[in-house]
């Protein structure tokens, strides 16, 4: 129904999209970037979508315009290195115009602001390049203010020149105290700034439009986001944990595309023709002509290399270790569907001692709630999803590893698919409501797990932190409400809103798209990956906030998140990260609880678990040092400037490094590990996750208290209700 309503809205708007926009205001001394007709259409339609379907039911007015202007300027120049006070005063004329302009598809003002920014950026990059070669005196008692966010805008170019002199000096003194020679420092810093200049020359109107839309949509609410076509593809591939291509991660190094990693199982891996460090200088589709991609933007190069499975791509390769002037090797690969297993759910097994008894605990790390919706819609019975992956891991942990308990690690899991959070919860509860969703009409829908049985009925715990958000909070909240497991960590992010992903092309009548194609392309046809031509203009995707979700106990996770049963200090600043730090976030509220029956009452055991946890922490060197580290971070967080005196800065750095090394060795000694020397790196097998280790000890306590006879913990605790 929504799609049908939106289709009418969009179709009517497209008919009006051919009104001539205002002439673009030009900036002298820079190649001006200008908007196109697609972007004009998209911004108009996003205004309509927000006003009609966003959960806030908000009007895009002068107040919104003012906020968008401030956010856009801050996003462009957060530390006030580029714009002058005169620029900011000039931009004031747009303060109450952006709402009206966006409504008619006029993007002149924000593109003009960006072109002014681009001019200033190039000016000061060039100024920095000249300053790098200037003679420096590192014995003066100067300071450099690196965080200028709360300082006034520079009154003149002379004032900004002084700031940039100190910035360059700071970067040089940093390199100097690391022990490298002055000429190497000059050479390295020059390359860094030349790279920045090169990158700025590749910025296009899609990049600018994305920044404008970010400022606009995030002013409405933090999670309504527009994605331009390139970013939409990346978002959907990340959600699916798969893509179609050759199976390699690519990076740009000195204008040349380089293989950063070959993904196991993909065409590049199976062919044994590509290795990390190889450079790609040319791409051809099938038997077509090669295109030289040196100096291209990375996403443009990647678009040529990726493509539909079953199609061929040829690459010109300079093998790692050879000069770029060497004769390239030509290879041919057939693209396949690549599954990103390294970004999927994983398991490991750890054995702990708790009160003299050994327990095997399986840890399942879930980095996101992902699902390949495209494959699912196509009827693929083996489509990639979090729940499918976790079910297989549980089966192995139960039947092969014979674990006594399972812990789900959702730390830094920012969420993802709502459906996956419901299905994943269903692996641990036997049917019932999981989450309630209230839409903009205040209608409430209860989403249930309808599958009989559970994949795991034994002792269960969930690890969370401040970066656990959205679907993670649905899962952790449901596990807590049902009494199904112990929640350990810190208060979660507090994202309790639901977004619908809308492909804007699907909302526009095909005949209107054809008219837009003729208007936009002027006869030019876009080439898709794989060499196919596509005349259809891509409009991108918007994730629109259209609902809020609530726990089965009626509480929203918005703002407040999920509070753990066993609390740890937060590794992340709670006053800077979280929904409650977002000015445009929706408020917390409650609704009636849904009709659910807890599987266990864990209230009797939680106070004792907390007591035992605190007793361990009182004796824990790790805990003591963690608290000291967090206090030090908080203290240093308020610093906005640094000394440019080489001797003073080096003494400060040496002192901090020595203190850090001493603390590291103190911890290593407590674990029976040899001391490190300055410059030594900690081996992967020697790394220690204190939060994980203590969470497993909590699980050991839980099993001893709630499951003394070795029965299923759910059944045992149910008997105590």
């Amino acid at each position: 129904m929504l799609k049908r309503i939106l289709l009418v809205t969009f179709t009517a708007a497209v008919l009006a999209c051919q009104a001539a926009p205002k002439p673009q205001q030009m900036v002298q001394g820079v190649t001006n970037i200008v908007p196109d007709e697609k972007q004009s259409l998209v911004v108009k339609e996003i205004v309509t979508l927000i006003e009609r379907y966003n959960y806030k039911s908000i009007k895009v007015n002068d107040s919104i315009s003012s906020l968008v202007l401030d956010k856009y300027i801050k996003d462009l120049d957060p530390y006030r290195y580029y714009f002058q006070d005169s620029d900011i005063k000039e931009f004031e004329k747009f303060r109450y115009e952006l709402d009206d302009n966006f409504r008619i598809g006029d993007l002149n003002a924000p593109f003009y602001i960006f072109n002014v920014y681009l001019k200033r950026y190039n000016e000061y990059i060039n100024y920095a390049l000249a300053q790098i070669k200037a003679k420096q005196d590192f014995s003066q008692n100067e300071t450099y203010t690196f965080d200028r966010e709360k300082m006034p805008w520079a009154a003149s170019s002379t004032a900004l020149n002084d700031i940039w002199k100190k910035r360059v000096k700071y970067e040089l003194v940093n390199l100097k105290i690391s022990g490298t020679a002055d000429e190497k420092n000059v050479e390295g810093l020059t390359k860094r700034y030349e790279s920045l200049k090169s990158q700025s020359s590749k910025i296009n109107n899609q990049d600018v439009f994305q920044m404008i839309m970010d400022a606009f949509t995030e002013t409405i609410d933090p999670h309504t986001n527009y994605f331009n076509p390139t970013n939409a593809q990346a978002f959907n591939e990340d959600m699916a944990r798969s893509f179609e291509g050759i199976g390699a991660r690519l990076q740009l190094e000195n204008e040349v595309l380089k293989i950063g990693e070959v993904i196991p199982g993909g065409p590049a891996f199976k062919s044994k023709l590509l290795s990390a460090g190889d450079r790609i200088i040319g791409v051809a589709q099938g038997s077509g002509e090669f295109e030289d991609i040196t100096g291209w933007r990375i996403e443009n190069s990647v678009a040529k290399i990726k493509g539909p499975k079953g199609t061929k791509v040829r690459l010109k390769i300079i093998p790692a270790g050879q000069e770029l002037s060497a004769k390239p090797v030509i290879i041919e690969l057939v693209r396949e569907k690549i599954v990103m297993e390294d970004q999927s759910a994983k398991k490991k097994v750890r054995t702990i001692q708790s009160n003299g008894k050994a327990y095997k605990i399986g840890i399942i790390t879930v980095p996101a709630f992902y699902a390949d919706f495209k494959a699912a819609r196509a009827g693929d019975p083996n489509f990639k999803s979090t729940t499918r992956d976790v079910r297989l891991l549980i089966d192995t942990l139960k039947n092969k590893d014979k674990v006594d308990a399972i812990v789900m690690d959702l730390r830094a899991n920012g969420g993802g698919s709502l459906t996956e959070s419901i299905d994943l919860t269903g692996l641990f509860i036997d049917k019932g409501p999981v989450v309630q969703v209230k839409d903009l009409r205040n209608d409430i829908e209860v989403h249930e797990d309808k599958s009989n049985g559970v994949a795991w009925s034994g002792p269960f715990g969930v690890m969370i932190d401040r970066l656990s958000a959205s679907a993670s909070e649905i899962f952790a909240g449901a596990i807590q409400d049902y009494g199904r497991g112990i929640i350990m960590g810190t208060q979660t992010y507090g994202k309790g809103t639901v977004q619908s992903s809308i492909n804007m092309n699907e909302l526009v009548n095909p005949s209107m798209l054809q008219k837009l194609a003729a208007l936009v392309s002027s006869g030019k046809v876009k080439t898709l990956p794989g060499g196919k031509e596509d005349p259809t203009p891509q409009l991108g995707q918007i994730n629109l906030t259209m609902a809020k979700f609530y726990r089965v106990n009626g509480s929203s996770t918005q703002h407040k998140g999920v509070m753990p049963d066993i609390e740890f200090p937060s590794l992340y600043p709670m006053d800077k990260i979280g929904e409650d730090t977002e000015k445009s976030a929706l408020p917390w509220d409650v609704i009636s609880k849904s009709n659910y029956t807890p599987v266990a009452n864990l209230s009797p055991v939680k106070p004792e678990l907390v007591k035992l946890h605190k007793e361990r922490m009182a004796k824990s060197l790790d805990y003591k040092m963690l608290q000291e580290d967090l206090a030090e971070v908080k203290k240093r967080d308020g610093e906005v400037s640094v000394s440019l005196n080489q001797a003073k800065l080096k003494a400060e750095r040496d002192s901090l490094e020595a203190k850090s090394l001493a603390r590291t060795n103190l911890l290593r000694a407590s674990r029976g590990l040899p001391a490190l020397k300055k410059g030594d790196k900690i081996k992967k097998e020697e790394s220690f996750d204190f939060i994980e280790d203590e969470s497993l000890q909590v699980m050991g306590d839980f099993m001893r208290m709630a499951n003394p006879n070795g029965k299923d913990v759910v059944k045992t605790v149910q008997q105590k209700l």
Side-chain angles (χ1 to χ4, degrees):
M1 178 64 182
L2 173 63
K3 182 176 177 180
R4 199 159 57 244
I5 293 171
L6 294 178
L7 179 60
V8 173
T9 302
F10 272 64
T11 301
V14 174
L15 290 169
C17 79
Q18 299 181 33
K22 292 180 182 177
Q24 174 70 45
Q25 186 176 354
M26 294 296 166
V27 176
Q28 298 299 316
V30 67
T31 301
N32 283 253
I33 302 173
V34 298
D36 60 35
E37 291 85 349
K38 291 185 298 181
Q39 294 158 354
S40 176
L41 169 63
V42 168
V43 70
K44 286 198 299 183
E45 298 319 315
I46 287 180
V47 171
T48 300
L49 281 170
I50 286 170
E51 292 189 332
R52 296 189 182 185
Y53 305 108
N54 185 273
Y55 188 85
K56 278 187 172 181
S57 299
I58 198 168
K59 182 75 173 174
V60 178
N61 54 20
D62 284 356
S63 176
I64 296 295
S65 175
S66 179
L67 293 171
V68 171
L69 179 66
D70 288 337
K71 179 162 178 50
Y72 182 50
I73 291 171
K74 184 176 181 179
D75 288 349
L76 288 174
D77 192 5
Y79 298 111
R80 307 191 173 191
Y81 282 117
Y82 303 101
F83 287 133
Q84 298 173 22
D85 183 59
S86 57
D87 297 324
I88 302 303
K89 287 178 178 176
E90 184 196 5
F91 300 154
E92 278 297 310
K93 65 187 179 185
F94 303 125
R95 180 162 297 280
Y96 302 112
E97 294 182 0
L98 296 181
D99 57 322
D100 299 320
N101 291 344
F102 288 176
R103 197 177 298 281
I104 62 172
D106 184 350
L107 292 160
N108 173 61
F111 268 84
Y112 171 74
I113 291 171
F114 184 84
N115 288 328
V116 173
Y117 165 77
L118 190 59
K119 179 180 181 180
R120 299 287 184 234
Y121 182 91
N122 287 328
E123 286 173 351
Y124 288 104
I125 294 296
N126 287 333
Y127 184 80
L129 283 165
Q131 287 301 307
I132 291 170
K133 297 176 177 63
K135 187 175 181 180
Q136 304 287 348
D137 181 358
F138 297 117
S139 64
Q140 294 180 332
N141 288 319
E142 293 179 295
T143 59
Y144 164 59
T145 302
F146 56 85
D147 184 348
R148 304 186 64 258
E149 183 177 358
K150 296 180 181 179
M151 298 187 72
W153 295 98
S156 65
S157 59
T158 302
L160 272 177
N161 285 347
D162 184 59
I163 292 166
W164 275 89
K165 280 181 185 178
K166 290 183 176 180
R167 174 170 171 167
V168 169
K169 189 172 185 178
Y170 174 65
E171 290 173 316
L172 285 171
V173 75
N174 260 316
L175 293 168
K176 191 174 180 65
I177 63 177
S178 69
T180 52
D182 288 348
E183 59 270 19
K184 287 288 184 183
N185 296 339
V186 169
E187 180 184 345
L189 194 56
T190 298
K191 284 183 178 179
R192 185 189 306 174
Y193 275 95
E194 285 176 344
S195 176
L196 290 173
K197 188 175 180 180
S198 174
Q199 290 172 37
S200 73
S201 70
K202 296 182 177 69
I203 293 173
N204 60 31
N205 70 352
Q206 284 279 49
D207 301 319
V208 180
F209 185 60
Q210 183 68 66
M211 286 185 269
I212 295 166
M213 298 313 296
D214 286 346
F216 177 29
T217 59
E218 290 170 20
T219 296
I220 304 301
D221 80 81
H223 309 292
T224 287
N225 302 117
Y226 169 78
F227 299 99
N228 67 31
T230 299
N231 292 341
Q233 181 182 1
F235 173 85
N236 293 321
E237 287 176 352
D238 184 61
M239 179 66 76
R241 288 300 191 264
S242 65
F243 63 94
E244 293 179 352
I246 65 170
R249 289 194 172 89
L250 307 172
Q251 60 193 55
L252 205 60
E253 186 177 276
N254 297 325
E255 303 292 294
V256 179
L257 196 66
K258 179 181 174 182
I259 305 288
E261 179 189 357
V262 176
I263 299 172
F269 180 84
K270 289 186 285 190
S271 73
K272 299 182 180 179
L273 297 174
L274 280 176
S275 302
D278 290 350
R279 288 145 297 168
I280 305 174
I281 61 170
V283 182
Q285 310 301 329
S287 58
E289 295 292 324
F290 273 100
E291 292 182 88
D292 185 342
I293 63 169
T294 302
W296 282 24
R297 289 167 57 104
I298 187 168
E299 61 266 34
N300 293 345
S301 299
V302 169
K304 292 289 183 181
I305 297 168
K306 290 166 71 172
K309 63 181 179 181
T311 58
K312 292 181 180 180
V313 62
R314 290 184 297 138
L315 306 174
K316 279 186 180 179
I317 304 296
I318 303 293
Q322 294 189 16
E323 296 295 327
L324 282 174
S325 57
K327 183 179 180 180
V329 177
I330 296 177
I331 68 170
E332 181 177 280
L333 297 171
V334 178
R335 300 176 177 105
E336 297 177 11
K337 183 173 183 178
I338 312 299
V339 177
M340 295 181 281
E341 294 293 353
D342 61 326
Q343 297 177 34
S344 304
K346 296 183 181 66
K347 75 164 182 76
K348 64 181 177 181
V349 178
R350 286 190 57 191
T351 300
I352 65 161
Q353 295 290 327
S354 180
N355 203 28
K357 185 175 180 179
Y359 293 100
K360 286 179 72 176
I361 302 178
I363 303 171
I364 299 176
T365 302
V366 179
F369 287 80
Y370 50 86
D372 190 342
F373 297 116
K374 182 179 178 181
R377 286 193 296 267
D380 183 350
N382 298 311
F383 70 91
K384 182 80 170 169
S385 83
T386 302
T387 305
R388 287 168 174 266
D389 289 348
V390 171
R391 187 189 294 275
L392 290 172
L393 295 176
I394 291 173
D395 186 60
T396 303
L397 289 170
K398 275 198 314 185
N399 301 313
K400 181 180 178 182
D401 299 314
K402 306 291 184 184
V403 297
D404 300 300
I406 290 177
V407 170
M408 185 81 72
D409 189 349
L410 297 182
R411 290 177 295 174
N413 182 319
S417 166
L418 173 65
T419 302
E420 284 302 310
S421 68
I422 297 165
D423 292 345
L424 190 67
T425 305
L427 299 183
F428 302 93
I429 65 167
D430 185 12
K431 300 178 71 171
V434 174
V435 63
Q436 305 182 82
V437 176
K438 183 173 74 170
D439 65 21
L440 69 166
R441 297 182 299 272
N442 290 321
D443 292 336
I444 297 172
E445 182 179 2
V446 179
H447 293 260
E448 300 187 10
D449 163 47
K450 298 179 180 179
S451 302
N452 288 316
V454 297
W456 176 255
S457 61
F460 185 55
V462 180
M463 297 171 63
I464 55 175
D465 66 7
R466 188 60 164 174
L467 301 184
S468 303
S470 192
S472 294
E473 296 171 296
I474 293 174
F475 179 84
I479 294 300
Q480 192 174 58
D481 292 342
Y482 273 92
R484 181 57 192 89
I486 299 297
I487 312 299
M488 302 165 286
T490 58
Q491 180 184 7
T492 57
Y493 191 91
K495 180 189 175 295
T497 55
V498 185
Q499 285 71 43
S500 294
S501 295
I502 301 170
N503 181 340
M504 301 188 73
N505 277 61
E506 293 181 359
L507 299 178
V508 179
N509 188 298
S511 64
M512 296 300 105
L513 274 177
Q514 291 174 8
K515 292 180 180 179
L516 183 62
L519 185 66
V520 172
S521 64
S522 299
K524 296 178 181 177
V525 178
K526 176 186 175 184
T527 302
L528 293 175
K532 295 183 179 180
E533 292 185 341
D534 179 22
T536 307
Q538 298 301 306
L539 304 180
Q541 171 180 313
I542 184 170
N543 289 0
L544 186 68
T545 299
M546 301 181 73
K548 286 177 73 175
F549 59 69
Y550 298 78
R551 294 166 61 159
V552 292
N553 68 5
S555 173
S556 170
T557 56
Q558 179 67 11
H559 265 259
K560 293 191 176 184
V562 175
M563 296 300 298
D565 302 314
I566 308 297
E567 191 165 3
F568 289 84
S570 176
L571 301 178
Y572 308 99
M574 303 288 280
D575 60 339
K576 293 186 177 181
I577 297 175
E579 192 79 0
D580 54 2
T581 68
E582 298 283 355
K583 294 180 180 179
S584 61
L586 288 159
W588 175 85
D589 64 341
V590 296
I591 59 174
S592 299
K593 73 175 186 177
S594 56
N595 185 21
Y596 75 103
T597 304
V599 299
N601 178 13
L602 300 183
S603 298
V605 301
K606 288 180 182 179
E608 185 65 17
L609 291 177
V610 172
K611 176 175 172 289
L612 293 171
H613 165 66
K614 287 183 176 179
E615 287 175 356
R616 276 191 299 273
M617 294 303 92
K619 303 172 185 176
S620 170
L621 180 61
D622 288 276
Y623 185 74
K624 177 185 176 183
M625 289 197 172
L626 174 60
Q627 289 185 309
E628 289 176 358
D629 287 343
L630 293 174
E632 181 68 20
V633 168
K634 188 172 184 179
K635 176 185 173 183
R636 297 183 69 84
D637 188 54
E639 296 178 359
V640 297
S641 61
V642 65
S643 174
L644 293 177
N645 181 287
Q646 180 184 346
K648 184 177 179 181
L649 187 62
K650 188 175 187 308
E652 290 176 358
R653 296 282 169 82
D654 288 346
S655 174
L656 287 172
E657 287 180 14
K659 182 179 178 181
S660 176
L661 182 62
R663 289 165 62 83
T664 298
N665 283 333
L666 194 60
L667 286 172
R668 289 174 65 84
S670 70
R671 297 179 191 126
L673 295 171
L676 295 175
K677 296 178 181 178
K678 184 178 179 180
D680 289 348
K681 293 184 179 180
I682 297 175
K683 298 176 183 177
K684 186 176 181 181
E685 61 270 19
E686 293 178 344
S687 60
F688 187 77
D689 187 340
F690 162 67
I691 304 296
E692 178 186 288
D693 194 67
E694 172 57 19
S695 296
L696 298 188
Q697 290 299 321
V698 171
M699 290 302 296
D701 295 338
F702 180 46
M703 285 184 279
R704 285 189 294 104
M705 294 163 52
N707 189 20
N709 300 316
K711 300 176 182 177
D712 280 351
V713 67
V714 172
K715 294 179 182 177
T716 302
V717 180
Q718 278 181 324
Q719 292 167 3
K720 298 179 182 178
L721 287 173

